[in-house]
Amino acid sequence: MSGPATILVVFGTRPEAIKLFPVIAALKADPRFRVRVCVSGQHRDMLDQVLGIAGIVPDHDLDLMRPDQSLDALTAGLLTGIGGVIDAERPDRVMVQGDTATAMAGALAAYYRKLPVDHVEAGLRSGNIHHPWPEEVNRKVIGTLASLHFAPTAAAAAALRAENVDPARIHVTGNPVIDALHWVTARIAEQPSLAGGLAALEARFAGKRIVGVTSHRRENFGNGLASIAEAIRRIALRDDIAVIFPVHPNPNVRRVMHGALAGDPNVALIEPLDYPHFARLLALCEIMLTDSGGVQEEAPALGKPVLVMRETTERPEGIAAGTARLVGTDAGRIVSEIFTLLDDKAAYEAMARAHNPFGDGQAARRIVEILGDEIRQQA
Ligand code: UD1
Ligand code: UDP
C-alpha cells in the first residue's frame, strides 16, 4: 500500500456518533490515514446534534430515516446505500461501532466486497437474542465477519474468544464513550454556557431531588413502556422528587410517555438533549433510570447510581462494580428501588462510587495505534 490507508467510517445514530467522534479525530490527526465519513442518517435530529457538537462534516449522508421506520425497510436501504458509497470511495477498510442496523449493514456491505471491517465496541453479549432486540444479533453478525475487534473490556474480549474469534485479532482498548465524556466535560468547564440551557428547569426544580430518565428500547415497546410510565407517575407523586426525562423521538415512546405524564408538575418531558446538556443532566441527577446502553457506561464513570430497566445486560461491568442494578420494567420494583436509594443513605452511598470499568479515556488513541500496526504489516 502506498500513501495513506483510506478508512471509511460508517455510522448513523446518536450513540454511534458519540462513541466514534474521538476515534475519527484521532484518525484524522494521523497522516497514515485518509478518513472518509459516511452517515446513514438512521437518526436525523439526534445524529445532527452530535455532528454539530463534534464538528464532523460527513462526506456522504444517505438521509435514510423515516418516521416509525421498520427494521426490514431500514436495513434494505442501509445495505444498498452503504454498498454504493463503498463502491464510490473504494476504501481500504471500513469501521463500524456497536450493534445498530447501520453498523450491521455497514459491516455486511464491506464483507460483500471482501474489505476488512474494524469493529469498535466488539464482544458485548447478553446471551439472549431477544434482549436487547435486535442488537444482540446485529453484533454477533459483525463479530463473525470483522477483521479487528476493539473490545472495551476484558469480559468482552473473553466473549469473543469463546466464539472462537482469533485471539490475535482481539484488542482490549476501553470504550471511546469515556473519551467522549472526558472531552465534553472539559469543553463545558471551558465554556459553561454550552450546557446552560437547563437553567430554567434547574430553577423550577430547585431543592428537589432529581431523577434522570431515558428510555427507548424496542423490546420494551407496549407493556414495558406503559409500566415504565406508571413507575414514573408514582415516583413523581412525591413532592420532594422531580423527574427530568429527555424523550426519544420514536413515536412509540412519545405516545406512551406524553399520554401518561404530560402535565405532571414534578415531571419534565423534554426534547432529546445535545451531549453537553445531557452531561449536565448526569451531573444534576441523584439517580439515572434508563434502558440505554451508553448511559450504563457513563453513569458509573461519574459515580451516579444507574437503575437499568432491562431483564439482562451486555454490560455486566457496571453491575459488578456495584454502580448499576438491573430492575426490569415492573412498576412496583422500579418505584421501590428508587425510594430505597433516595431514603436509605447507606444504600445510596454503596452505589454512588465512581468506577471506570469501561475505559480510561484513551480508547481512541489505542485503536489508532493498533490500526497503524495493522496497515504497516499489510504494506
Ligand atoms: C436505534 C438503534 C438502537 C440504539 C438507538 C439509540 C437499531 C435497530 N436500533 O434505535 O440500537 O440503541 O438507535 O438511540 O439500529 N427518530 C426521530 N429522530 C431521530 C431519531 C429517531 O424522529 O433523530 C424516530 C423516527 O420516527 C424513527 C424512530 O425514531 O423511525 C426509530 O429510530 P430507529 O433508529 O429505527 O430506532 P431507535 O429506537 O432509535
Ligand atoms: N444522550 C444524549 N442526549 C439525550 C440522551 C442521551 O446526548 O437526551 C447520550 C448519552 O450521553 C449516551 C448516548 O446518548 O452517550 C446514549 O444513546 P441512546 O440511549 O440513544 O442509545 P444506546 O446507548 O442505548 O444505544
Side-chain angles (χ1 to χ4, degrees):
M1 197 185 296
S2 64
T6 299
I7 183 153
L8 179 70
V9 185
V10 178
F11 57 98
T13 67
R14 169 175 65 193
E16 292 167 274
I18 288 173
K19 291 169 173 180
L20 281 172
F21 82 70
V23 182
I24 292 171
L27 282 169
K28 283 193 167 170
D30 189 320
R32 292 172 297 176
F33 298 99
R34 175 175 171 264
V35 185
R36 304 293 284 169
V37 171
C38 169
V39 297
S40 68
Q42 176 178 338
H43 283 177
R44 187 69 279 163
D45 21 326
M46 297 203 302
L47 173 70
D48 293 345
Q49 280 181 328
V50 187
L51 296 177
I53 294 286
I56 294 174
V57 180
D59 301 293
H60 301 268
D61 188 336
L62 299 172
D63 200 20
L64 284 174
M65 194 192 84
R66 299 292 174 268
D68 201 10
Q69 57 207 1
S70 68
L71 292 176
D72 46 6
L74 172 65
T75 305
L78 285 165
L79 200 52
T80 49
I82 298 168
V85 171
I86 297 175
D87 290 340
E89 285 288 349
R90 304 175 62 86
D92 297 298
R93 323 183 58 84
V94 173
M95 174 177 280
V96 297
Q97 189 282 337
D99 49 22
T100 65
T102 295
M104 191 269 286
L108 202 54
Y111 167 74
Y112 285 162
R113 288 154 182 82
K114 299 196 172 149
L115 287 172
V117 171
D118 302 313
H119 189 201
V120 177
E121 196 180 272
L124 272 61
R125 297 289 183 272
S126 68
N128 181 339
I129 62 167
H130 302 292
H131 290 271
W133 176 81
E135 289 80 2
E136 179 78 356
V137 164
N138 285 346
R139 57 200 177 208
K140 286 176 83 141
V141 169
I142 303 168
T144 302
L145 51 78
S147 166
L148 281 172
H149 307 254
F150 299 118
T153 65
L160 290 166
R161 288 195 298 273
E163 291 176 8
N164 294 323
V165 173
D166 176 358
R169 311 302 298 168
I170 306 169
H171 300 272
V172 178
T173 58
N175 193 320
V177 73
I178 304 299
D179 306 31
L181 189 61
H182 287 183
W183 180 87
V184 81
T185 307
R187 291 286 313 277
I188 296 169
E190 283 162 22
Q191 198 184 333
S193 62
L194 274 179
L198 288 176
L201 212 49
E202 291 177 39
R204 172 176 152 201
F205 290 148
K208 290 186 193 270
R209 310 180 68 184
I210 309 279
V211 177
V213 180
T214 74
S215 177
H216 69 83
R217 300 243 31 92
R218 278 180 190 257
E219 66 272 16
N220 287 342
F221 287 3
N223 291 344
L225 286 183
S227 182
I228 291 168
E230 172 59 13
I232 295 168
R233 193 191 64 76
R234 286 196 226 163
I235 291 162
L237 289 174
R238 260 176 64 167
D239 231 19
D240 61 328
I241 297 177
V243 173
I244 300 183
F245 184 171
V247 184
H248 190 290
N250 192 313
N252 300 284
V253 180
R254 296 230 143 166
R255 205 178 309 118
V256 175
M257 296 307 166
H258 284 275
L261 300 167
D264 189 316
N266 291 332
V267 180
L269 297 177
I270 58 176
E271 290 302 306
L273 294 168
D274 68 20
Y275 197 40
H277 283 94
F278 194 74
R280 174 71 187 151
L281 174 59
L282 286 171
L284 279 176
C285 71
E286 283 190 49
I287 302 170
M288 278 306 300
L289 178 64
T290 189
D291 60 14
S292 159
V295 178
Q296 286 178 66
E297 294 154 348
E298 292 160 335
L302 299 169
K304 294 288 169 172
V306 55
L307 298 179
V308 182
M309 298 184 291
R310 298 192 191 186
E311 307 305 326
T312 172
T313 180
E314 64 286 73
R315 295 168 168 89
E317 295 86 353
I319 313 267
T323 52
R325 183 171 301 148
L326 284 177
V327 298
T329 56
D330 177 73
R333 168 97 196 265
I334 293 171
V335 173
S336 90
E337 294 274 1
I338 294 270
F339 287 171
T340 301
L341 279 181
L342 290 178
D343 296 336
D344 178 342
K345 203 161 180 273
Y348 186 85
E349 277 170 5
M351 278 189 88
R353 283 191 224 105
H355 284 278
N356 258 332
F358 299 103
D360 58 1
Q362 298 293 316
R365 181 184 57 73
R366 288 189 194 99
I367 288 168
V368 172
E369 266 171 26
I370 295 158
L371 275 168
D373 288 347
E374 178 75 4
I375 59 168
R376 187 167 41 79
Q377 280 163 26
Q378 287 175 349

